[in-house]
Amino acid sequence: MKKKNTTKSKSAAKKIKENRKFIFVIGGVISGVGKGVATSSIGKILQARGFSVTALKIDPYVNVDAGTMNPTEHGEVFVLQDGDETDQDMGNYERFLDTTLTRLNYMTTGRIYQSVIERERNLEYKGKCVQVVPHIPLEAIARIKKAAEKARADIAVIEVGGTVGEYENILFLEAARMMKAAHPDDVAVVMVSYLPTPPKVGEMKTKPTQHATRQAQAAGIQPDVIIARSEFPLDKKRREKLATFCNIGPHQVIAAPDADSIYDIPINFEKDKLSDILLLRLRLNPKKRKSNLEVWKKFVHRIRSLKKQVRIAVVGKYFNTGDFVLSDSYISVIEAIKYSAYEMGKKPVISWLSAVDFENKDKLRELSKYDGILVPGGFGERGIEGKLNVIEYAREHHIPYFGLCYGMQLLVIEYARNVLGLKDANTDEVNPRAKHLVIDVMPDQKQKIKEGHFGGTMRLGSYKAILKKGTIAEGTYGKRKVEERHRHRYEVNPEYIERLEKAGLVFSGTSPDGKLMEIAELPRDKHPFFLGTQFHPEFQARPLKPHPLFTEFIKAAIKREQKKK
Ligand code: GLN
């Protein structure tokens, strides 16, 4: 039996298209050392050498996708163009590589088991005993290859979630081992590890990384490169120590001290010649392709040189977890604000405000010190009344307001309550018994909720919208047809549209059939910027291509800041 499996695994792994290369990124010592950014940065430096690069993430969770996970536990849910609800690292890959990824680029333990079981039920294993090994790693390998093929990538960078030595990701390390064993020249492994400097000891320690390397070796994997994450720069002595005890050359250890901005990382990696090392390891001639990171370097330089600030308040509910404040839950929103501020020559100062605090109306005055207020997407009841108070304050005090998804639905509720006078206006999500459900569940969602089918069933992914002539939305995009990513179950109730419009609210973007309201705004003569989108524009903002709506919001915020002076 064992022999047969080995033969099968080899032949499956053999189908790698000639010249296609794979780099696995694994983690050592602790989680949260920046494996996602390291993966994105590796992709970036190889892209800068003229290769077509794609990136994949393997999450060890049993959840089929990230859509059912709480953002305070898992960070933001990043929605792909095709509607897949994925890990926030996918957002980093798209932003660093300026690319659009598909559901093939994301997998979880749950997703892999689901398809193996489905195939078993369909007799696709032709009567064989289907086993955890090799069939689970083989399924992962098949997906990795398919994703690389679909992206027509020369190089695929694959991030394996978790750290070496834990139970959960062992099957994915096995997938890396199998691929590397079958194609030693086409597969490289990078371990992102952590070197602590205990304050009382005052010395950077390599021992945990040595142990992590042993754990990787026990799984049959020798890292080709170790990225040494640490608070301080790595010195020669520790570099040599790692080389001696981890079976690699000192030049294969990449220093990765904490950086001011994640966008510095590709440049920092190249200081230790990481792309050269990887290309040599993968039998690609580094002399043939010069690195061109100039545009990226200019972008990073620009960030550094900014002096004047623009102050943005993000009012949300997923900020507090125990004694810590988590901004990871809104990472795409935060990055989108940054790109637009950078473009406008300002340093963004982002404050995270907890919505529940504003249930007390006395607190609202604090908002006047900000140049702009943003309410991002969200779910459920907590903090809703606080958010509504914030939106009312922004509208009445002419503070630029940008509402994303829930932030747009709440804009509509606030307008219905305080301008239209429908005092108990609400969303079905919060109070289904309210008399005026100006935000209601979408008809096709009712059945799904009734049957308890919650995973992957929202209105997800990219949809077209048509913009109304002469509106802020149309002027900002500079076109009438746009495509944006969605993630919602509720929508503006068609029964209230006419009344809301009569009261002055403009629905400046709708679905092509005119049925779904995609953008709501107040005309410029009424408010400097009061706009909400049913979609999530943040998912399409890229470092060098900021999103026009975010830029328009930032422009309005800058104007307010200048007026204050
Ligand atoms: N909870 C709202 C809905 O499902 C908004 C979702 C969101 O903000 N992503 O429609």
Side-chain angles (χ1 to χ4, degrees):
M1 194 63 154
K2 219 170 188 163
K3 207 163 180 203
K4 248 193 228 161
N5 288 343
T6 322
T7 331
K8 179 162 187 194
S9 64
K10 272 200 176 160
S11 68
K14 244 181 199 164
K15 278 187 215 141
I16 295 173
K17 192 186 149 211
E18 238 186 319
N19 294 333
R20 187 161 281 150
K21 307 290 180 179
F22 299 84
I23 300 171
F24 284 87
V25 178
I26 63 175
V29 183
I30 55 170
S31 62
V33 280
K35 236 184 317 140
V37 173
T39 304
S40 309
S41 301
I42 289 170
K44 187 79 221 168
I45 58 178
L46 294 169
Q47 195 182 51
R49 299 196 73 144
F51 292 99
S52 128
V53 177
T54 194
L56 290 92
K57 167 102 196 215
I58 307 180
D59 256 338
Y61 305 100
V62 178
N63 302 59
V64 172
D65 57 40
T68 51
M69 282 186 258
N70 184 335
T72 42
E73 269 176 42
H74 189 67
E76 167 190 272
V77 176
F78 187 81
V79 181
L80 300 183
Q81 189 184 59
D82 63 17
D84 201 19
E85 298 171 280
T86 71
D87 181 80
Q88 56 174 342
D89 282 326
M90 298 289 284
N92 278 325
Y93 307 161
E94 284 205 347
R95 291 187 283 265
F96 273 69
L97 299 177
D98 189 16
T99 189
T100 299
L101 301 172
T102 74
R103 63 178 67 239
L104 279 172
N105 293 63
Y106 183 64
M107 61 190 108
T108 64
T109 297
R111 184 168 289 186
I112 290 172
Y113 270 89
Q114 197 180 40
S115 51
V116 167
I117 291 168
E118 229 164 69
R119 282 171 50 191
E120 184 275 331
R121 291 291 80 185
N122 296 338
L123 263 183
E124 284 178 48
Y125 292 97
K126 300 193 168 52
K128 282 216 178 72
C129 168
V130 184
Q131 294 178 290
V132 170
V133 177
H135 294 105
I136 299 300
L138 278 177
E139 177 67 25
I141 292 172
R143 281 168 177 258
I144 291 167
K145 286 195 270 180
K146 214 165 158 192
E149 205 173 299
K150 177 125 191 253
R152 295 175 193 225
D154 302 316
I155 304 173
V157 193
I158 307 113
E159 179 186 350
V160 179
T163 42
V164 287
E166 65 187 30
Y167 238 65
E168 280 197 319
N169 60 11
I170 194 79
L171 292 170
F172 304 119
L173 298 180
E174 177 65 2
R177 188 200 64 75
M178 280 162 72
M179 272 182 95
K180 202 178 182 194
H183 285 265
D185 290 346
D186 298 329
V187 179
V189 175
V190 174
M191 185 169 82
V192 184
S193 194
Y194 185 62
L195 280 74
T197 308
K200 289 266 158 65
V201 181
E203 186 196 327
M204 192 190 286
K205 291 294 185 187
T206 62
K207 192 63 67 62
T209 299
Q210 297 178 36
H211 284 306
T213 307
R214 298 249 160 120
Q215 294 275 12
Q217 288 163 346
I221 294 173
Q222 168 63 50
D224 298 295
V225 168
I226 292 179
I227 294 180
R229 286 280 299 112
S230 54
E231 204 178 332
F232 308 103
L234 189 74
D235 64 354
K236 193 163 169 255
K237 191 172 161 201
R238 263 141 280 262
R239 184 187 288 271
E240 278 166 2
K241 220 168 164 187
L242 282 177
T244 309
F245 295 110
C246 301
N247 259 3
I248 54 178
H251 66 287
Q252 286 162 290
V253 180
I254 308 296
D258 290 346
D260 291 339
S261 149
I262 54 171
Y263 303 107
D264 290 338
I265 312 278
I267 300 166
N268 290 354
F269 281 178
E270 284 301 60
K271 286 183 189 153
D272 277 347
K273 300 198 166 31
L274 179 55
S275 67
D276 273 356
I277 295 164
L278 287 169
L279 296 185
L280 283 170
R281 170 64 194 76
L282 294 168
R283 306 285 183 269
L284 294 164
N285 186 354
K287 288 205 182 104
K288 277 197 180 158
R289 308 229 193 184
K290 277 187 112 177
S291 172
N292 184 1
L293 264 178
E294 290 320 305
V295 181
W296 193 261
K297 281 184 183 161
K298 263 190 204 148
F299 166 70
V300 169
H301 180 75
R302 192 181 166 80
I303 300 177
R304 276 245 171 78
S305 57
L306 297 173
K307 301 234 156 47
K308 292 192 183 127
Q309 300 182 340
V310 58
R311 302 193 48 146
I312 304 296
V314 177
V315 184
K317 96 169 181 189
Y318 301 119
F319 288 135
N320 303 325
T321 155
D323 290 339
F324 301 93
V325 171
L326 255 198
S327 52
D328 259 12
S329 321
Y330 302 108
I331 179 164
S332 293
V333 176
I334 289 162
E335 297 308 296
I337 294 173
K338 287 185 190 168
Y339 305 152
S340 289
Y342 297 154
E343 190 183 36
M344 298 310 299
K346 299 280 177 183
K347 190 176 171 164
V349 179
I350 302 169
S351 303
W352 298 293
L353 307 181
S354 206
V356 273
D357 292 346
F358 295 100
E359 280 165 15
N360 173 358
K361 282 203 168 184
D362 293 341
K363 286 243 172 182
L364 290 167
R365 251 173 289 144
E366 283 173 24
L367 292 172
S368 60
K369 64 172 182 253
Y370 298 103
D371 306 318
I373 298 171
L374 186 147
V375 173
F379 293 85
E381 201 181 338
R382 187 151 65 91
I384 289 309
E385 292 302 319
K387 286 183 192 172
L388 286 166
N389 287 342
V390 168
I391 298 169
E392 181 184 9
Y393 190 88
R395 185 175 53 75
E396 290 192 333
H397 292 80
H398 291 94
I399 305 173
Y401 171 76
F402 194 13
L404 310 177
C405 205
Y406 217 3
M408 176 264 204
Q409 297 176 353
L410 295 169
L411 173 158
V412 174
I413 295 172
E414 189 279 323
Y415 207 78
R417 281 191 189 177
N418 302 322
V419 180
L420 227 58
L422 306 176
K423 283 295 164 222
D424 86 331
N426 217 324
T427 163
D428 183 63
E429 184 173 356
V430 170
N431 180 11
R433 279 178 298 278
K435 192 161 155 221
H436 297 291
L437 288 176
V438 291
I439 303 296
D440 203 357
V441 64
M442 301 169 74
D444 63 326
Q445 289 290 332
K446 270 190 192 148
Q447 195 59 21
K448 291 175 188 163
I449 297 177
K450 212 167 135 194
E451 289 166 1
H453 291 150
F454 291 106
T457 56
M458 281 187 246
R459 180 169 179 246
L460 289 169
S462 219
Y463 285 92
K464 286 197 177 79
I466 308 291
L467 309 181
K468 202 179 257 172
K469 261 197 169 157
T471 57
I472 296 177
E474 189 237 7
T476 301
Y477 278 101
K479 55 183 174 184
R480 302 241 4 235
K481 277 189 200 155
V482 297
E483 244 177 87
E484 294 280 2
R485 300 186 194 175
H486 296 69
R487 183 172 187 248
H488 64 117
R489 276 187 216 285
Y490 300 85
E491 58 156 336
V492 177
N493 185 341
E495 282 176 30
Y496 288 89
I497 290 169
E498 219 184 293
R499 270 194 270 175
L500 286 159
E501 282 186 325
K502 266 199 188 135
L505 195 63
V506 177
F507 289 105
S508 50
T510 64
S511 55
D513 63 7
K515 286 188 177 150
L516 301 170
M517 300 301 108
E518 296 280 22
I519 308 177
E521 64 178 72
L522 278 182
R524 248 205 253 272
D525 56 356
K526 291 220 181 92
H527 195 288
F529 188 90
F530 190 75
L531 185 144
T533 60
Q534 182 57 80
F535 48 81
H536 291 271
E538 69 270 25
F539 294 142
Q540 294 203 92
R542 304 268 164 89
L544 303 166
K545 292 180 198 150
H547 194 285
L549 286 178
F550 275 89
T551 306
E552 199 62 21
F553 167 59
I554 293 293
K555 277 188 195 165
I558 293 170
K559 263 195 197 150
R560 173 177 160 82
E561 190 258 344
Q562 283 162 350
K563 245 196 211 161
K564 274 200 286 192
K565 278 184 183 160

